[in-house]
Amino acid sequence: MLLAESISEYIKEKKEPSILSEFRTNAEKLLNSAVFPDSSLESWRKISLSNFKISEYTKVCPDSSVTVSGNAKITKLQDLPVEKLSEVLKKVGPAISFYSKDWFPLFVFSRFTHAYYVQLDSDPSSFPEIKIECKDGNIILPLLIVDAFPGAKSNFIERWESASQKDLLLMSGVTLLLTPPNGDFQYSSLENLGDSTFHFRATYGIQEKDSKFHASLASWGGYKGKSFYDTNVVGKGCWTRYVGLSPLKGREFQDTEVRILHSESHAQSSILYRTVVREKAHHIFTGNLHIPSHCKDVGAIQINNNLLMDRTARAESIPKLEVFADSVKCEHGATVGEIDEEQLFYLASRGISEEEARKMIVEGFLNEVVREFPSETVREELSSMIESRMLGK
């Protein structure tokens, strides 16, 4: 299927319920007034899109590009009963308001190619998973709405994958993560992308009263991309945690931004993001903790650590604290450095080769993040990936 230039033509081809068509049309109106990202926008000033032309991406990946597994109820939006669909689309409203001037999320809201509603169960040993691939086409625009289970622990894994090829691909999506009162939601995101993939993501979470939300992020590969991970803490007594890692090589470029908005008092949040970059790879991390004046008893911390494997590699850290309240405790820290020669010397004095020493240092640096992924299978996968990407030839 071709992504028609006219959204009305595309909607007609999809044969969707009228309520879903209306949702797209309203998003299209916002899109028409949004500014396409360029260096004049604060969040986009570090990434150049001079060689990105949206008109080149018209061949939509087929339904088979999205696969699901595990114990979760996953339904296409267009297959939901009208009453349920109306209820689900109302839940998307806060995300549309949040991204009301952001071009790429609005593009997804208006022209999503694959859209699913996910209802998680309360089995803490279950790891339901959705895999999104860009294959047999050059564009995929997924929209996911994920409802965690109230009053219990639930898990969800989201994967993005693409292969390297001659022509460029576009993967751009929006994921809405809903943590209900007293919920304990553990979300994992893994991106394994080929070197010909443009990738743009917006992940928006809403946390209600006395809930816990833990996000584990791993992103590697890709040609060029920008990812927003946003959480709005709308209830009191919440706990929020983001951990992430990006092992990059070659000429890979990634721009990652994590933003936590504290809208209520008595909450704790933290961010830990680590990157290892080699060759001519480039990573940018921005962390933003926002605490308005009416919030009390809030603790927030963000840490970003970057390890450079080569002098040609680049890593930038941009910590932001927007704190307007008095009764809060906030901290931030950032480091960018190379492997310590004294560490190599110490390990060499214990009979460890330089290659093995570098392996130990890199693994030790990233393992603190890897350990926080709730799935043992994913932890093993990440350990293997880190060794091959960062220490292979």
Side-chain angles (χ1 to χ4, degrees):
M1 180 186 294
L2 295 180
L3 188 64
E5 183 176 342
S6 167
I7 186 62
S8 59
E9 293 177 18
Y10 183 64
I11 292 172
K12 187 177 180 180
E13 289 181 12
K14 295 284 283 185
K15 298 180 180 179
E16 295 173 335
S18 59
I19 188 175
L20 199 53
S21 300
E22 183 179 351
F23 175 86
R24 287 185 184 270
T25 302
N26 291 335
E28 177 80 1
K29 292 176 182 177
L30 292 173
L31 176 66
N32 290 337
S33 61
V35 176
F36 187 81
D38 60 30
S39 59
S40 67
L41 301 176
E42 175 64 23
S43 289
W44 293 87
R45 62 188 179 88
K46 294 285 186 176
I47 178 172
S48 171
L49 298 179
S50 59
N51 64 335
F52 178 81
K53 295 179 176 60
I54 190 64
S55 59
E56 296 178 354
Y57 306 96
T58 59
K59 188 178 179 183
V60 176
C61 298
D63 285 353
S64 59
S65 298
V66 178
T67 54
V68 298
S69 61
N71 298 324
K73 187 178 180 181
I74 301 179
T75 311
K76 289 183 179 180
L77 287 191
Q78 65 188 52
D79 293 337
L80 289 172
V82 173
E83 186 175 333
K84 182 64 176 180
L85 177 58
S86 177
E87 175 189 324
V88 169
L89 293 179
K90 286 180 181 178
K91 295 181 179 183
V92 186
I96 292 181
S97 297
F98 188 83
Y99 298 120
S100 62
K101 297 182 180 179
D102 294 326
W103 197 91
F104 276 103
L106 292 173
F107 188 70
V108 174
F109 285 132
S110 63
R111 309 192 182 198
F112 55 83
T113 59
H114 303 68
Y116 292 85
Y117 174 60
V118 182
Q119 292 176 285
L120 301 178
D121 61 22
S122 59
D123 182 0
S125 64
S126 174
F127 292 92
E129 177 179 306
I130 190 164
K131 181 192 291 186
I132 299 163
E133 298 179 271
C134 197
K135 61 180 183 179
D136 300 324
N138 66 0
I139 181 171
I140 188 166
L141 307 172
L143 172 62
L144 305 178
I145 300 105
V146 185
D147 249 331
F149 199 85
K153 180 177 287 187
S154 49
N155 302 296
F156 184 66
I157 299 174
E158 181 179 357
R159 289 181 181 268
W160 282 39
E161 294 185 1
S162 66
S164 296
Q165 61 176 51
K166 180 181 178 181
D167 297 322
L168 291 170
L169 308 173
L170 172 60
M171 302 182 76
S172 182
V174 176
T175 301
L176 180 63
L177 305 169
L178 304 171
T179 308
N182 299 298
D184 186 348
F185 187 5
Q186 297 197 55
Y187 167 75
S188 301
S189 173
L190 296 93
E191 294 182 1
N192 177 11
L193 305 176
D195 59 12
S196 52
T197 302
F198 275 108
H199 51 111
F200 305 104
R201 292 189 63 186
T203 301
Y204 184 77
I206 300 176
Q207 267 188 273
E208 298 188 54
K209 185 179 179 181
D210 297 324
S211 65
K212 294 182 179 180
F213 174 71
H214 184 287
S216 308
L217 316 172
S219 180
W220 64 98
Y223 169 56
K224 191 178 292 186
K226 172 77 179 183
S227 298
F228 293 99
Y229 297 97
D230 302 305
T231 291
N232 189 358
V233 184
V234 301
K236 293 182 179 180
C238 290
W239 179 89
T240 311
R241 171 74 165 168
Y242 274 90
V243 296
L245 60 90
S246 292
L248 305 181
K249 66 177 184 176
R251 293 180 176 272
E252 295 165 357
F253 179 99
Q254 288 191 12
D255 188 331
T256 304
E257 190 160 348
V258 179
R259 302 179 290 197
I260 300 176
L261 170 62
H262 286 276
S263 299
E264 278 291 353
S265 302
H266 311 297
Q268 300 289 322
S269 71
S270 60
I271 302 169
L272 172 63
Y273 206 99
R274 290 188 171 173
T275 68
V276 179
V277 285
R278 59 180 290 194
E279 299 164 347
K280 295 185 178 181
H282 186 182
H283 188 271
I284 299 161
F285 175 81
T286 302
N288 195 329
L289 298 170
H290 180 89
I291 306 174
S293 59
H294 68 271
C295 287
K296 298 179 181 179
D297 187 27
V298 173
I301 183 171
Q302 62 167 300
I303 302 293
N304 174 226
N305 307 116
N306 305 275
L307 184 62
L308 307 179
M309 300 290 286
D310 298 291
R311 293 291 176 89
T312 52
R314 294 181 62 191
E316 300 178 58
S317 185
I318 309 172
K320 295 180 180 180
L321 294 176
E322 298 176 345
V323 180
F324 303 95
D326 295 326
S327 181
V328 298
K329 182 179 180 181
C330 297
E331 303 175 46
H332 70 83
T335 61
V336 179
E338 301 175 357
I339 289 180
D340 192 335
E341 292 297 329
E342 290 186 5
Q343 288 180 313
L344 292 176
F345 178 79
Y346 174 81
L347 293 171
S349 70
R350 297 297 187 270
I352 299 173
S353 68
E354 181 175 344
E355 181 179 357
E356 184 64 22
R358 287 180 176 273
K359 176 182 176 181
M360 292 173 63
I361 292 170
V362 170
E363 290 180 342
F365 180 74
L366 293 178
N367 272 350
E368 185 176 349
V369 173
V370 173
R371 284 195 296 267
E372 292 202 32
F373 280 78
S375 165
E376 182 179 355
T377 302
V378 169
R379 293 194 298 269
E380 293 174 353
E381 175 187 345
L382 292 177
S383 295
S384 177
M385 176 273 296
I386 290 167
E387 181 175 355
S388 62
R389 285 200 120 239
M390 294 295 98
L391 304 166
K393 300 301 182 182

